[in-house]
Amino acid sequence: MEASVILPILKKKLAFLSGGKDRRSGLILTIPLCLEQTNMDELSVTLDYLLSIPSEKCKARGFTVIVDGRKSQWNVVKTVVLMLQNVVPAEVSLVCVVKPDEFWDKKVTHFCFWKEKDRLGFEVILVSANKLTRYIEPCQLTEDFGGSLTYDHMDWLNKRLVFEKFTKESTSLLDELALINNGSDKGNQQEKERSVDLNFLPSVDPETVLQTGHELLSELQQRRFNGSDGGVSWSPMDDELLAQPQVMKLLDSLREQYTRYQEVCRQRSKRTQLEEIQQKVMQVVNWLEGPGSEQLRAQWGIGDSIRASQALQQKHEEIESQHSEWFAVYVELNQQIAALLNAGDEEDLVELKSLQQQLSDVCYRQASQLEFRQNLLQAALEFHGVAQDLSQQLDGLLGMLCVDVAPADGASIQQTLKLLEEKLKSVDVGLQGLREKGQGLLDQISNQASWAYGKDVTIENKENVDHIQGVMEDMQLRKQRCEDMVDVRRLKMLQMVQLFKCEEDAAQAVEWLSELLDALLKTHTRLGDDAQETKVLLEKHRKFVDVAQSTYDYGRQLLQATVVLCQSLRCTSRSSGDTLPRLNRVWKQFTVASEERVHRLEMAIAFHSNAEKILQDCPEEPEAINDEEQFDEVEAVGKSLLDRLTVPVVYPDGTEQYFGSPSDMASTAEYIRDRMKLVSLKRQQLRHPEMMTTES
């Protein structure tokens, strides 16, 4: 029977064990009767409960029952005493009925308990409260009977409830812990076939029960030793009464079983953690080797353009994002495994290391595949980027070659040719870069089989390889076509440069010839002072004419070359309509002026030669000197020469031009006249010798 079940009855305090003892060390059971009618059934229940508390050893010493009838009627007292015969006949050794002063004297005469001792089984005495100490020591009596023993019924009841609750919970907990611990031992023998099930967990918290037990034991011990400094106080939690040893024994058993339970929980927790880690490891491994690897197997292409490669890169980033979540789980699991390995449980080391190695191998392999795929796509993107740039360069070069060249001069042609060469060189550099990128990409693709998980990627690789090689071959063909067109354009532009050069040089030849003509007319005016000097001037003039002839011939050759170049270039040259007529016109003018210069020099030579013969005093040849014809010839040549000096040069177009300045011509004419005067004087002297004598 538990106090909690009959708590309302116990609260009525129909009977109680104060903790006091009689002189035989028997427990004192007090039944305080009141003015109200006592419910015998409830009293019987109370007595049954109270008598179940002491130990059998304590019960063997018997009970002293104090029936406090001072506030009750005699018939109630008698009923209670008779009831004790049925409830506790063997345990009761003495019943003390506390009577009111001089109230029951007549009643006693009608019923003597001592005469009923044999029938009742215990002795019953009537005693007043002040004489109760004859049978029981005052220190074992409560204050109601003039004793010094303190008793608080509600406090006792509360502690009793705590004690019973602790006893019940601890006993149940011990059974549960024993079941769990024993089950765990069997589980160890069965190689831990299963983890802890929730049904095998304790129904109450062991820590709470232990704390309750310690508090209860502390309270019991405190009340037991209370009063050691002075008077004796109530000690309801005495060894026999409230079973301190039982509490201590339960606590010891609980601590032992709880310690084992904690170890079992630790082992089970570790095993559970290990199984959870193993489960998560297999989840990571199965995903990486399953859906993760399948995603990579499906992504084998490299794209055929920058946009396609970028789309593949974006798809790969999505795959990497999914893998990152599992890699995060891998990092967490690796940390947990490392923590368990540091714990040093040898029985789990092999399994943990195996899990760690398996997880690391799969994760590193998958990470390598992701990195390889990322590098491959980056290389493909770079390859397509270089291919696109090269294609744009080739388009620009082709567009430049398709436009007809119409330069204004040779400098612009040279600049255009330089730009063309730079573009071609840039194309060469771009093609070389494309080859390098393509070869690097081919090398990476050739290594793709190393992470294919046994899958045959020959077909996919062949498509990628064919695409890369096709792009490089196409760019090579386009570049070759552009080179051929550049060669043709270069030849044409060089011919145009040569054409412009010939035209410029032909124009320069015309300028030079004009300058020679101008020099001939302005500076070649002297006719010499004698025949020898005139011959020298004639020789110089002929050389001068040779220079002019070379200049004219050079100009003619250049103009002929322009005609040939124009025919080759299929264009019209300006020289054919402008420079050639100018060259011919200047040359004709020069020829006319040169012939006039030659005639004048020849006439001057003839004049000076005849004049010098006449004027020389040569007795050996008197006949020659005296020849009148010579004098006439000198005079005629001199006059013709003077006349010629006054006549301008008439060009084929009708224009006229004089040699030198008028002063130059006047000086030359004056010199000729002087010479003619000397010849005339010489003629007179030969005709009239006496004149020479007179003059002498």
Side-chain angles (χ1 to χ4, degrees):
M1 185 181 298
E2 297 179 0
S4 58
V5 178
I6 58 173
L7 183 60
I9 298 176
L10 293 178
K11 287 183 178 180
K12 294 180 179 181
K13 197 180 178 181
L14 300 177
F16 62 89
L17 290 169
S18 63
K21 296 179 181 179
D22 56 19
R23 290 186 174 89
R24 298 185 308 275
S25 297
L27 295 177
I28 298 175
L29 174 63
T30 304
I31 302 176
L33 299 177
C34 57
L35 295 175
E36 299 176 359
Q37 185 69 29
T38 300
N39 189 322
M40 293 303 162
D41 293 334
E42 292 180 353
L43 178 59
S44 177
V45 171
T46 302
L47 292 175
D48 289 340
Y49 174 74
L50 292 177
L51 293 175
S52 66
I53 295 176
S55 63
E56 295 299 325
K57 181 179 178 181
C58 186
K59 291 179 181 180
R61 292 196 292 265
F63 290 88
T64 294
V65 181
I66 300 176
V67 180
D68 188 1
R70 291 176 293 179
K71 297 180 181 180
S72 181
Q73 299 176 359
W74 166 248
N75 58 344
V76 176
V77 173
K78 183 176 65 172
T79 302
V80 171
V81 172
L82 293 175
M83 185 183 65
L84 292 175
Q85 179 184 10
N86 299 323
V87 178
V88 285
E91 288 84 359
V92 177
S93 58
L94 176 63
V95 176
C96 295
V97 178
V98 181
K99 65 178 181 176
D101 295 338
E102 300 178 354
F103 184 73
W104 286 344
D105 291 342
K106 294 180 181 181
K107 302 292 184 183
V108 174
T109 59
H110 296 288
F111 184 83
C112 295
F113 287 107
W114 61 272
K115 294 180 181 181
E116 301 292 332
K117 179 178 181 182
D118 294 335
R119 186 171 64 86
L120 293 175
F122 49 79
E123 182 181 359
V124 180
I125 61 173
L126 294 175
V127 64
S128 59
N130 55 359
K131 295 180 179 180
L132 192 59
T133 55
R134 295 178 182 180
Y135 307 97
I136 303 173
E137 295 294 333
C139 64
Q140 300 297 324
L141 293 173
T142 61
E143 295 177 353
D144 294 337
F145 305 106
S148 60
L149 184 63
T150 302
Y151 175 74
D152 186 344
H153 183 70
M154 292 306 298
D155 182 68
W156 171 87
L157 182 57
N158 291 333
K159 293 298 183 292
R160 187 63 192 177
L161 290 172
V162 173
F163 171 77
E164 289 184 354
K165 180 181 178 183
F166 167 71
T167 303
K168 180 180 178 181
E169 290 181 349
S170 60
T171 303
S172 175
L173 181 59
L174 282 172
D175 294 338
E176 293 177 355
L177 292 179
L179 178 62
I180 293 173
N181 294 337
N182 295 334
S184 177
D185 293 338
K186 293 179 181 179
N188 290 332
Q189 296 173 2
Q190 297 171 0
E191 298 180 355
K192 301 176 182 178
E193 295 179 355
R194 61 188 302 275
S195 61
V196 178
D197 189 82
L198 292 178
N199 295 329
F200 286 85
L201 295 177
S203 58
V204 293
D205 182 18
E207 293 285 349
T208 304
V209 177
L210 284 171
Q211 182 179 359
T212 302
H214 285 295
E215 292 176 354
L216 177 59
L217 182 61
S218 176
E219 182 67 22
L220 295 177
Q221 292 173 347
Q222 180 180 0
R223 288 183 173 275
R224 178 182 179 185
F225 295 105
N226 191 16
S228 59
D229 296 336
V232 179
S233 297
W234 167 67
S235 53
M237 298 302 180
D238 223 4
D239 291 344
E240 296 85 1
L241 183 61
L242 294 180
Q244 283 190 37
Q246 183 180 359
V247 176
M248 297 176 65
K249 183 179 179 181
L250 287 173
L251 286 174
D252 292 340
S253 299
L254 276 175
R255 280 191 290 266
E256 179 183 358
Q257 290 293 337
Y258 184 54
T259 301
R260 290 182 57 194
Y261 170 74
Q262 286 180 318
E263 178 62 22
V264 169
C265 290
R266 190 185 71 83
Q267 293 294 334
R268 288 176 174 175
S269 176
K270 184 181 68 174
R271 188 62 191 177
T272 301
Q273 185 179 11
L274 182 60
E275 291 177 354
E276 290 177 354
I277 290 176
Q278 185 177 13
Q279 183 180 5
K280 290 182 179 179
V281 167
M282 294 312 300
Q283 288 178 351
V284 175
V285 171
N286 291 337
W287 190 90
L288 292 179
E289 292 183 344
S293 298
E294 191 60 33
Q295 287 179 346
L296 286 177
R297 291 191 190 101
Q299 298 295 316
W300 54 266
I302 60 173
D304 56 359
S305 63
I306 293 180
R307 181 175 297 178
S309 296
Q310 289 175 342
L312 290 174
Q313 272 192 334
Q314 184 177 1
K315 178 63 177 177
H316 183 72
E317 289 175 357
E318 295 175 357
I319 296 175
E320 282 185 334
S321 177
Q322 296 180 16
H323 279 74
S324 298
E325 298 177 0
W326 291 98
F327 288 153
V329 177
Y330 156 71
V331 173
E332 181 181 355
L333 288 175
N334 200 32
Q335 293 175 352
Q336 294 178 3
I337 293 174
L340 291 177
L341 288 174
N342 292 332
D345 292 335
E346 296 182 359
E347 57 183 4
D348 298 329
L349 287 179
V350 176
E351 185 176 1
L352 285 172
K353 288 183 179 179
S354 176
L355 286 174
Q356 188 179 42
Q357 187 63 40
Q358 181 185 13
L359 184 62
S360 298
D361 291 343
V362 173
C363 288
Y364 282 131
R365 183 168 60 246
Q366 199 75 358
S368 299
Q369 295 168 15
L370 289 171
E371 183 179 6
F372 177 87
R373 176 64 179 169
Q374 177 63 32
N375 294 337
L376 182 66
L377 291 177
Q378 183 61 35
L381 182 63
E382 293 176 358
F383 172 77
H384 290 124
V386 174
Q388 178 174 300
D389 293 341
L390 180 59
S391 179
Q392 293 176 353
Q393 292 178 0
L394 289 171
D395 291 341
L397 180 59
L398 183 62
M400 183 177 179
L401 293 172
C402 291
V403 177
D404 194 13
V405 181
D409 50 29
S412 62
I413 294 178
Q414 291 286 2
Q415 185 177 0
T416 304
L417 185 60
K418 181 179 179 181
L419 180 61
L420 197 63
E421 295 292 347
E422 290 177 353
K423 285 185 173 294
L424 185 60
K425 183 178 180 180
S426 178
V427 168
D428 289 335
V429 173
L431 183 59
Q432 182 62 30
L434 181 67
R435 289 171 180 166
E436 294 175 357
K437 295 292 184 181
Q439 187 59 48
L441 187 55
L442 290 174
D443 293 340
Q444 286 186 331
I445 292 177
S446 65
N447 297 327
Q448 189 173 6
S450 62
W451 55 267
Y453 281 117
K455 179 184 177 182
D456 186 8
V457 294
T458 304
I459 298 177
E460 291 84 349
N461 282 344
K462 186 176 185 305
E463 293 183 8
N464 293 332
V465 170
D466 291 344
H467 168 68
I468 296 170
Q469 292 178 346
V471 171
M472 292 192 294
E473 291 174 359
D474 179 65
M475 292 300 172
Q476 176 63 38
L477 291 176
R478 291 179 61 186
K479 188 246 184 184
Q480 186 62 47
R481 289 196 296 268
C482 287
E483 281 185 340
D484 296 340
M485 295 180 68
V486 167
D487 291 339
V488 175
R489 178 57 58 88
R490 184 188 297 111
L491 178 61
K492 182 177 182 180
M493 296 182 75
L494 290 176
Q495 288 178 342
M496 294 185 70
V497 170
Q498 188 176 4
L499 173 62
F500 277 104
K501 182 64 176 175
C502 290
E503 289 181 347
E504 291 176 1
D505 291 347
Q508 185 64 47
V510 174
E511 294 297 328
W512 288 344
L513 197 59
S514 298
E515 291 175 359
L516 291 175
L517 175 60
D518 188 64
L520 176 62
L521 293 175
K522 292 182 179 180
T523 61
H524 293 203
T525 57
R526 295 187 69 258
L527 297 178
D529 294 337
D530 52 34
Q532 184 62 32
E533 183 181 2
T534 303
K535 289 179 180 180
V536 172
L537 291 174
L538 180 61
E539 184 63 25
K540 289 183 178 180
H541 176 71
R542 286 172 179 170
K543 292 180 179 181
F544 184 75
V545 172
D546 291 340
V547 172
Q549 182 68 47
S550 298
T551 302
Y552 173 71
D553 294 340
Y554 176 65
R556 290 282 298 183
Q557 292 174 359
L558 291 173
L559 292 175
Q560 290 176 358
T562 58
V563 174
V564 175
L565 290 173
C566 285
Q567 292 176 351
S568 177
L569 295 172
R570 298 177 183 179
C571 64
T572 302
S573 173
R574 296 172 297 179
S575 301
S576 59
D578 183 25
T579 307
L580 183 60
R582 286 176 52 214
L583 179 65
N584 291 331
R585 183 173 66 252
V586 174
W587 174 246
K588 289 179 181 180
Q589 292 176 352
F590 183 86
T591 301
V592 172
S594 176
E595 290 176 353
E596 179 63 25
R597 174 67 174 169
V598 170
H599 290 158
R600 290 186 182 188
L601 288 174
E602 289 177 348
M603 291 177 67
I605 290 173
F607 173 76
H608 286 302
S609 296
N610 293 328
E612 288 174 355
K613 289 179 180 180
I614 293 174
L615 294 177
Q616 287 178 353
D617 187 9
C618 297
E620 296 86 0
E621 300 179 0
E623 295 179 358
I625 297 174
N626 293 330
D627 190 356
E628 288 293 332
E629 292 181 0
Q630 290 184 359
F631 288 98
D632 293 338
E633 184 178 356
V634 169
E635 184 177 359
V637 171
K639 289 181 179 180
S640 298
L641 185 57
L642 289 174
D643 293 338
R644 198 142 194 150
L645 290 175
T646 60
V647 176
V649 179
V650 180
Y651 295 142
D653 58 357
T655 59
E656 298 178 352
Q657 183 68 42
Y658 288 93
F659 275 95
S661 62
S663 60
D664 293 336
M665 293 299 99
S667 175
T668 301
E670 184 64 26
Y671 181 77
I672 292 173
R673 290 189 186 95
D674 290 341
R675 296 285 286 179
M676 290 178 66
K677 288 180 181 180
L678 291 176
V679 171
S680 178
L681 181 60
K682 184 68 175 178
R683 185 176 186 178
Q684 291 177 2
Q685 289 177 353
L686 291 176
R687 287 178 179 180
H688 305 284
E690 62 278 5
M691 293 178 63
M692 296 178 62
T693 303
T694 302
E695 291 177 359
S696 300

